[in-house]
Amino acid sequence: MTSKKILVVGELNIDLILNKIQGFPKIGTEIVADSMDFTLGSSSAIMASNISILGVDTTFCGVIGNDNFGDFVLNQLQFKKVDTQFIQRSEKSKTGVTVVMSYDQDRANITYCGAMKDLNKNSIPWSDIQNFHHMHISSYFLQEGIKDDISWIFKKAKESGLSTSLDLQYDPEEKWDFNYKECLPYVDIFLPNEDELLMLTGQENQEVAIGKIKPFSNTIVIKLGKNGSRLINNKSDIKAAPYLNKKYKDAIGAGDSFNAGFIQKFLEGASPEDCLKNGNLMGSLSTTCAGGTTAFSSKEHIEAQIESLLINNNNED
Ligand SMILES: Nc1ncnc2c1ncn2[C@@H]1O[C@H](COP(=O)(O)OP(=O)(O)O)[C@@H](O)[C@H]1O
Ligand SMILES: [Mg+2]
């Protein structure tokens, strides 16, 4: 257990998840989804919610609308013991919504950003920043209010003595306009998935892509879906096998749950190997239930599920 406190800065939205969809949507026609879930969405909120349940003291900084979806987001975070004192209500924008069309291992998302665009560098509680040990930011490309200041924000967090992590997530515009040379020196742990790393660097080969960002990075952690994960820094280049499970439901929030597991161990001062393993474990756990937070309902539930994941995988020491 760690007594360290994490501040998660990021976007907030609800997820409307459609599963078992009969075909692909086409203009002028209607298709049916045989299963639907309504959950807390957003990469940042899923990470915050799950790392909180894992026992880390977690505070969220973000913006929601003055509406029912905003109430739902707030209730869900509070239910997971996340401190919401730095979540603001926007008067002009509605709470963000993502409609997720989930097909087996992958999904197509439509996001209405709404109030998530209202978050900016001044929303961050700089006068209280010394109360925190770590800052995590996710979904850079969705957050217009912080995009231009991302390097400034990470530099200031580092100067304030915090460790930092960043998960860019996918760029819906596919422009990949992120100045990694300027920002990554202030990011202790950079957490892309393989696709995002290749798109960001404009490369097709993982090794070449790593070579591009390595000179500017501290630790790079690449999420490899069903293939587990890999960590690269000046001292190590290690891979960790996934925890395959038979209860697979969807991959929503697997990356955010991985982030929660990895950062939990990082804050405890664990080895890179143990951080990766715990990331893989939590990523796999997330895929056993719908959405990104359902599998993290309580510590007891997590412990029972983890036991079966460990028994069914032989990649433990
Ligand atoms: N089908 C799966 N079985 C077991 N583990 C998985 C599966 N899919 C994802 N994971 C775990 O979750 C992590 C994050 O998932 P990934 O899909 O790579 O990230 P993202 O959600 O960001 O695209 C992976 O590194 C892996 O450890
Ligand atoms: Mg991701």
Side-chain angles (χ1 to χ4, degrees):
M1 281 292 275
T2 178
S3 58
K4 290 190 174 169
K5 291 184 172 193
I6 180 170
L7 176 68
V8 179
V9 177
E11 88 289 13
L12 288 167
N13 64 267
I14 60 113
D15 270 357
L16 189 64
I17 305 163
L18 304 174
N19 272 302
K20 299 186 186 160
I21 308 171
Q22 298 173 4
F24 293 94
K26 238 194 297 175
I27 300 290
T29 67
E30 183 162 349
I31 55 170
V32 166
D34 285 333
S35 151
M36 187 277 287
D37 288 289
F38 177 73
T39 64
L40 175 68
S42 73
S43 172
S44 305
I46 293 170
M47 192 282 187
S49 177
N50 293 352
I51 200 168
S52 175
I53 287 292
L54 293 176
V56 178
D57 188 324
T58 306
T59 300
F60 201 96
C61 169
V63 187
I64 49 177
N66 218 341
D67 47 30
N68 290 338
F69 287 166
D71 295 344
F72 178 82
V73 166
L74 218 50
N75 286 340
Q76 291 291 307
L77 286 172
Q78 287 167 355
F79 183 67
K80 299 288 174 79
K81 307 267 184 306
V82 175
D83 184 334
T84 58
Q85 64 171 310
F86 298 116
I87 294 180
Q88 297 159 21
R89 295 264 192 181
S90 170
E91 287 306 323
K92 58 178 198 241
S93 313
K94 287 181 258 180
T95 302
V97 177
T98 297
V99 177
V100 182
M101 284 169 283
S102 181
Y103 293 93
D104 297 326
Q105 174 73 13
D106 233 320
R107 60 266 180 195
N109 295 354
I110 307 173
T111 292
Y112 160 73
C113 292
M116 67 179 74
K117 288 186 178 178
D118 297 344
L119 184 75
N120 62 54
K121 67 174 196 273
N122 298 321
S123 317
I124 299 171
W126 295 116
S127 56
D128 294 300
I129 204 78
Q130 309 282 354
N131 294 336
F132 302 100
H133 301 90
H134 187 89
M135 180 185 77
H136 176 81
I137 296 188
S138 193
S139 301
Y140 164 81
F141 297 106
L142 292 178
Q143 303 187 76
E144 277 175 17
I146 61 170
K147 256 168 111 172
D148 289 346
D149 298 312
I150 193 78
S151 301
W152 185 93
I153 291 168
F154 273 101
K155 184 164 186 271
K156 191 158 164 90
K158 285 302 296 172
E159 285 170 357
S160 307
L162 281 73
S163 53
T164 57
S165 51
L166 171 66
D167 184 343
L168 285 181
Q169 296 284 29
Y170 205 78
D171 179 8
E173 294 183 345
E174 299 193 333
K175 291 185 189 154
W176 300 92
D177 180 17
F178 168 67
N179 190 340
Y180 60 80
K181 296 181 183 174
E182 188 184 273
C183 185
L184 288 185
Y186 304 109
V187 176
D188 291 311
I189 301 162
F190 180 48
L191 295 148
N193 68 19
E194 185 177 22
D195 227 20
E196 292 153 3
L197 173 69
L198 299 178
M199 298 292 271
L200 174 67
T201 52
Q203 302 298 321
E204 286 175 5
N205 175 288
Q206 196 187 112
E207 303 310 319
V208 182
I210 291 167
K212 285 256 170 199
I213 63 164
K214 196 162 180 269
F216 312 97
S217 307
N218 295 296
T219 293
I220 309 164
V221 176
I222 309 166
K223 287 165 278 184
L224 303 169
K226 277 188 266 188
N227 296 316
S229 55
R230 178 177 174 187
L231 177 147
I232 300 119
N233 60 24
N234 282 340
K235 290 192 209 122
S236 323
D237 183 348
I238 46 178
K239 278 190 178 157
Y243 291 88
L244 299 175
N245 68 75
K246 293 194 179 78
K247 287 188 177 171
Y248 181 87
K249 179 97 194 263
D250 68 44
I252 297 158
D256 311 313
S257 305
F258 175 98
N259 295 347
F262 186 98
I263 301 295
Q264 177 202 9
K265 285 289 163 192
F266 170 77
L267 293 177
E268 288 174 9
S271 67
E273 286 83 358
D274 285 346
C275 294
L276 275 187
K277 271 188 183 178
N278 202 48
N280 283 347
L281 196 55
M282 298 309 159
S284 174
L285 176 65
S286 170
T287 67
T288 61
C289 295
T293 56
T294 317
F296 293 77
S297 53
S298 70
K299 264 207 131 155
E300 296 69 37
H301 175 81
I302 294 171
E303 274 160 21
Q305 294 301 313
I306 283 177
E307 210 166 306
S308 84
L309 282 176
L310 293 177
I311 289 167
N312 290 315
N313 285 268
N314 54 10
N315 50 358
E316 271 297 283
D317 297 329

